[in-house]
Amino acid sequence: MTPAQLGHLAMLLFSLLVAGSFALGALVANEIAPLALNAVRFWIAAAVIGVAVFLTTGLPAGAAKAPWRYIVLAGFFTTYFVLMFEGLKTAPPVSAAAVFTLTPILSAGFGWLILRQVLTPRMGLALAIGAAGAVWVIFRADLQAILQFRVGQGEVIYFWGCVAHAIYTPLVRKLNRGEPAIVFTFGVLLAGAVMLTFIGWRDLQSTDWGNLPALVWITILYTAIFASAATFVLLQFATLRLPSAKVMAYTYLTPSWVIVWTLLLGSTAPPALVLAGVGLTVIALILLLKNEQD
């Protein structure tokens, strides 16, 4: 497989793993403070990736140079995760996943500002179709709600997290100095764990860890290992091989994967009108990736 094809495969797996965090996160968002949950998940993810680093590449001599890079990137990504769980307190998982699909168009804008990556007309059309589908799902297929801009508080909170995510994507390529993806990931995770522990210390102390429901611990472990450690590596691996807008195009699959996850977890499918918006996001992905050579 070419480097670009490997990047596409990484993002396909990324979208599946991310979708699980929406479905599980919505079930436990009101059981634990977002800062406490994310602090623990970042420490677990950092430990997992740290072991992987020492068993594979080791820490290159230059990896510790300019540590401010890890702090900057961790600032954006921890913001994304905390606001995601804050938003899931009230936003349905499919609706939140639809907000996530606005990330590609945001990422394209920041990709131009940071890396001067040019958006082709076809990519622009695809992003517009995907955004339209996302808006349709976010507003629960209610035309009056769209016209009056009646959007839920959870969706608004999570949107600002997605802005942080969209900035993070091109910054990875901008700030990477040749470090392997797994090493760079370890640096970001470690910086994020320290940052979240410091900011969320009060929430960590006030959480009754011994009496948390089992599902909370399952969510923490899943988000730490699969939705943090694994997706960090996958995202950075793909970002170094594909344009930012194309990397984030795979977020268009997230609402579809979330529906699969929620059905497996016992929830019902969204109404057919809402599913039409999900269909638009899939069309956007196909349009973005059709006949791509890079």
Side-chain angles (χ1 to χ4, degrees):
M1 296 179 73
T2 66
Q5 288 172 333
L6 288 171
H8 288 301
L9 181 61
M11 288 310 299
L12 183 64
L13 183 56
F14 170 91
S15 65
L16 172 61
L17 294 178
V18 165
S21 64
F22 285 97
L24 290 169
L27 296 175
V28 305
N30 291 295
E31 301 287 344
I32 182 174
L35 281 170
L37 183 149
N38 282 289
V40 174
R41 74 181 280 194
F42 265 69
W43 279 115
I44 296 173
V48 171
I49 292 297
V51 171
V53 166
F54 286 105
L55 291 178
T56 54
T57 63
L59 283 175
K65 291 183 179 179
W68 61 266
R69 296 176 298 153
Y70 305 118
I71 297 171
V72 170
L73 289 170
F76 284 109
F77 226 37
T78 54
T79 296
Y80 164 76
F81 280 120
V82 170
L83 292 183
M84 171 187 174
F85 278 87
E86 194 65 43
L88 282 171
K89 289 181 177 180
T90 55
V94 175
S95 182
V99 176
F100 189 49
T101 64
L102 295 175
T103 310
I105 198 165
L106 295 170
S107 185
F110 288 116
W112 181 83
L113 286 172
I114 296 171
L115 300 173
R116 287 297 185 263
Q117 290 178 339
V118 178
L119 188 67
T120 66
R122 181 162 59 83
M123 289 178 70
L125 174 62
L127 292 175
I129 292 173
V135 168
W136 189 248
V137 177
I138 293 166
F139 286 92
R140 321 299 204 266
D142 186 340
L143 187 59
Q144 283 298 112
I146 294 174
L147 294 176
Q148 298 174 18
F149 203 74
R150 293 200 311 267
V151 61
Q153 182 181 7
E155 286 87 343
V156 172
I157 291 171
Y158 182 47
F159 171 78
W160 290 112
C162 291
V163 171
H165 195 297
I167 297 172
Y168 170 86
T169 305
L171 270 184
V172 169
R173 179 176 289 194
K174 181 77 171 179
L175 298 181
N176 183 274
R177 297 183 179 179
E179 298 92 348
I182 194 169
V183 173
F184 209 57
T185 297
F186 176 65
V188 175
L189 284 170
L190 186 60
V194 173
M195 190 179 300
L196 285 167
T197 301
F198 178 76
I199 297 172
W201 184 248
R202 183 172 298 178
D203 287 338
L204 284 165
Q205 285 186 311
S206 62
T207 300
D208 187 2
W209 297 100
N211 291 312
L212 287 175
L215 188 58
V216 174
W217 285 109
I218 292 171
T219 302
I220 289 174
L221 291 173
Y222 176 87
T223 55
I225 297 171
F226 297 105
S228 291
T231 58
F232 260 69
V233 174
L234 291 169
L235 180 61
Q236 295 190 51
F237 179 88
T239 298
L240 296 173
R241 290 160 178 81
L242 299 170
S244 294
K246 199 175 298 182
V247 167
M248 299 315 297
Y250 278 91
T251 61
Y252 289 136
L253 280 181
T254 307
S256 300
W257 285 127
V258 169
I259 291 172
V260 173
W261 273 94
T262 54
L263 289 175
L264 290 174
L265 292 172
S267 298
T268 57
L273 280 176
V274 172
L275 290 176
V278 174
L280 283 179
T281 64
V282 175
I283 291 172
L285 171 69
I286 295 171
L287 184 59
L288 270 174
L289 301 182
K290 186 180 179 181
N291 297 325
E292 289 294 343
Q293 300 301 317
D294 56 354

